[in-house]
Amino acid sequence: MGEQLVEISRLVTEAMEKANTAFTTADTELAQDVIASDARIDFLQNHLDERAIEILALQGPVASDLRVIVGSLRMSASLERMGDLARHIAQLTRMRYPELVIPEHLRPTFAQFAEHDIAISRSLTELLDTRNLDLARDINRHNEQVNELHAGIFKAIASPDFNAAPSTAVDVALASRYFERFADHGISVSRKVTYLVTGEWTTNGNVG
Amino acid sequence: MGEQLVEISRLVTEAMEKANTAFTTADTELAQDVIASDARIDFLQNHLDERAIEILALQGPVASDLRVIVGSLRMSASLERMGDLARHIAQLTRMRYPELVIPEHLRPTFAQFAEHDIAISRSLTELLDTRNLDLARDINRHNEQVNELHAGIFKAIASPDFNAAPSTAVDVALASRYFERFADHGISVSRKVTYLVTGEWTTNGNVG
């Protein structure tokens, strides 16, 4: 099942990379591609569930393996949600086409959001593959940056200088939330891997 | 584990009822109560996970039971998210205190949102308890209403008549999303119960 998680995580990374390119260039075809590809992630998650049931039924695993299997089910659910969030960004892109979703003065902030989210997703794929816990620490650092960016966006919207339409404010807030939730689910997976490797539950990072 | 799901679902209903009262009366103490109580839901979800592992380890269940156990893990995750969403509504209440979050002209819409969400949550508790699938149909109907309300809110914000501040628009949109996601996770649990009872996967209602 580890390999399947790595595969799902790789697809999630690809979805976020494409969603962000679509988002920043108002590329509606690429957005459509992300939306269509999300079904593949959902399919793989269901497949992993079925596989877990098979393993449990056929192999009668011992307690330590059970923890891995139950952990895998939780991780696959978080990864599936990350795929959904990339899809939401793509859907926002399509909804505002041919306009860009984000007003010009906030685009640098969103470029940073995307950079951190993609870094988290890439590190997560590698963490699931190698179990090198240095990657979990990198992921925590990126997540802290994402939380700061998210707080900054809400301050920017509340500021009297923010003079875009209310519906633009909503788009900005939702997009910010999607990027923040993506990182948060990444943390959730990263903590589960850490727990399975060390047996200790870390409390830094939010619960997803 | 069925009893534990019923118990979690009951706590989720209570959280949403209190969150909505706090939300509509700017009651910051009640909001704080909801925020604090969410830890209990999280604890029960973890406890259910542990119990699932124990059952798997000790009883070596057959394939049909495994489906129930894996289904329970998914359902407990959705219920836990519903608790988080009630908490988000409470947090929004606290953040805007002493103001109410929702501008006057949209309050009737949000009263309907809350009514449907609470009805979903109550029916879900009963569905988990009795497996009476009529309740699943009720839940679907309420969810359709919630989706219409959610679409209406986004139209209202985009309308030229909407003359509140951008940050108010954002609050309204986020609150709308919280109510909509709550219902959507309810559908997700309801579909899993239906699947476990009938063996057939229903496709009405969104995937959560």
Side-chain angles (χ1 to χ4, degrees):
Chain A
M1 295 204 302
E3 270 171 45
Q4 287 181 49
L5 286 173
V6 172
E7 169 69 4
I8 298 174
S9 185
R10 194 169 288 139
L11 287 174
V12 166
T13 306
E14 202 181 300
M16 185 45 116
E17 286 167 347
K18 284 186 181 173
N20 184 55
T21 303
F23 188 68
T24 51
T25 60
D27 184 336
T28 184
E29 274 181 45
L30 191 60
Q32 183 51 42
D33 185 12
V34 173
I35 294 164
S37 302
D38 190 40
R40 172 89 190 139
I41 293 173
D42 295 352
F43 172 82
L44 287 174
Q45 192 213 354
N46 283 327
H47 189 261
L48 189 140
D49 275 27
E50 293 297 321
R51 183 88 191 98
I53 291 171
E54 265 175 47
I55 292 173
L56 292 169
L58 297 176
Q59 306 180 358
V62 295
S64 62
D65 291 337
L66 288 171
R67 239 161 260 279
V68 172
I69 292 170
V70 172
S72 298
L73 292 171
R74 290 266 180 256
M75 288 190 273
S76 78
S78 293
L79 288 167
E80 189 267 332
R81 281 295 298 149
M82 291 168 82
D84 285 349
L85 290 159
R87 174 166 55 79
H88 290 338
I89 290 167
Q91 282 166 328
L92 211 48
T93 303
R94 240 182 28 160
M95 207 159 63
R96 293 298 165 233
Y97 178 81
E99 303 292 324
L100 283 173
V101 176
I102 304 300
E104 199 164 350
H105 73 289
L106 293 174
R107 284 180 204 157
T109 309
F110 277 87
Q112 286 181 60
F113 256 139
E115 219 171 271
H116 289 299
D117 270 15
I118 291 167
I120 286 171
S121 192
R122 282 187 189 149
S123 295
L124 205 52
T125 307
E126 210 182 321
L127 175 64
L128 286 163
D129 197 21
T130 63
R131 316 231 148 182
N132 171 0
L133 297 184
D134 288 344
L135 293 159
R137 279 179 282 274
D138 291 347
I139 290 170
N140 278 342
R141 272 192 294 271
H142 284 294
N143 184 53
E144 281 163 24
Q145 298 296 312
V146 167
N147 286 339
E148 276 184 31
L149 292 170
H150 188 53
I153 285 294
F154 278 78
K155 262 185 221 144
I157 292 170
S159 132
D161 301 341
F162 188 87
N163 51 18
S167 61
T168 302
V170 168
D171 285 352
V172 169
L174 285 180
S176 179
R177 189 168 157 79
Y178 298 151
F179 281 109
E180 182 270 331
R181 296 292 307 154
F182 184 95
D184 204 43
H185 281 290
I187 283 287
S188 175
V189 176
S190 161
R191 289 177 69 205
K192 286 215 170 54
V193 176
T194 305
Y195 172 66
L196 291 171
V197 172
T198 66
E200 276 173 32
W201 196 246
T202 59
T203 50
N204 51 336
N206 292 326
V207 182
Chain B
M1 294 203 302
E3 272 171 43
Q4 286 181 51
L5 286 173
V6 172
E7 168 71 6
I8 298 175
S9 185
R10 195 170 285 139
L11 288 174
V12 166
T13 305
E14 200 181 300
M16 184 45 111
E17 286 167 346
K18 284 187 182 173
N20 183 54
T21 303
F23 187 67
T24 50
T25 61
D27 184 336
T28 185
E29 274 181 46
L30 191 60
Q32 183 52 41
D33 185 12
V34 173
I35 294 163
S37 302
D38 190 42
R40 172 88 189 139
I41 294 173
D42 296 351
F43 171 81
L44 285 174
Q45 192 213 353
N46 282 326
H47 188 260
L48 190 141
D49 275 26
E50 292 298 321
R51 183 86 191 99
I53 291 171
E54 265 176 49
I55 291 173
L56 292 169
L58 296 175
Q59 306 180 358
V62 294
S64 62
D65 292 339
L66 288 170
R67 238 161 259 278
V68 173
I69 293 170
V70 172
S72 298
L73 292 171
R74 291 267 180 255
M75 288 190 273
S76 79
S78 292
L79 288 167
E80 189 266 332
R81 282 295 298 149
M82 290 168 83
D84 285 350
L85 290 159
R87 174 166 55 79
H88 289 337
I89 290 166
Q91 283 167 327
L92 211 47
T93 303
R94 239 180 32 158
M95 208 159 63
R96 293 299 166 233
Y97 178 82
E99 303 292 326
L100 283 173
V101 176
I102 304 300
E104 201 165 345
H105 73 289
L106 292 175
R107 284 178 206 158
T109 308
F110 277 87
Q112 287 182 58
F113 256 140
E115 222 171 88
H116 290 298
D117 270 15
I118 291 167
I120 286 171
S121 193
R122 282 187 189 150
S123 295
L124 204 54
T125 307
E126 212 183 321
L127 175 64
L128 287 163
D129 197 18
T130 64
R131 315 229 150 181
N132 172 359
L133 297 185
D134 288 344
L135 293 158
R137 279 178 283 275
D138 291 347
I139 291 170
N140 278 343
R141 272 192 293 271
H142 284 294
N143 185 53
E144 281 162 24
Q145 298 296 312
V146 167
N147 287 339
E148 276 183 30
L149 292 169
H150 188 54
I153 286 293
F154 278 78
K155 262 185 219 145
I157 293 169
S159 130
D161 301 341
F162 189 88
N163 51 16
S167 61
T168 303
V170 168
D171 285 352
V172 168
L174 286 180
S176 179
R177 189 169 160 78
Y178 297 151
F179 281 108
E180 181 270 332
R181 294 294 306 153
F182 185 94
D184 204 43
H185 281 290
I187 284 287
S188 175
V189 176
S190 162
R191 288 177 69 204
K192 286 216 169 53
V193 176
T194 306
Y195 172 66
L196 291 172
V197 173
T198 66
E200 276 173 31
W201 196 246
T202 60
T203 49
N204 50 338
N206 292 327
V207 181

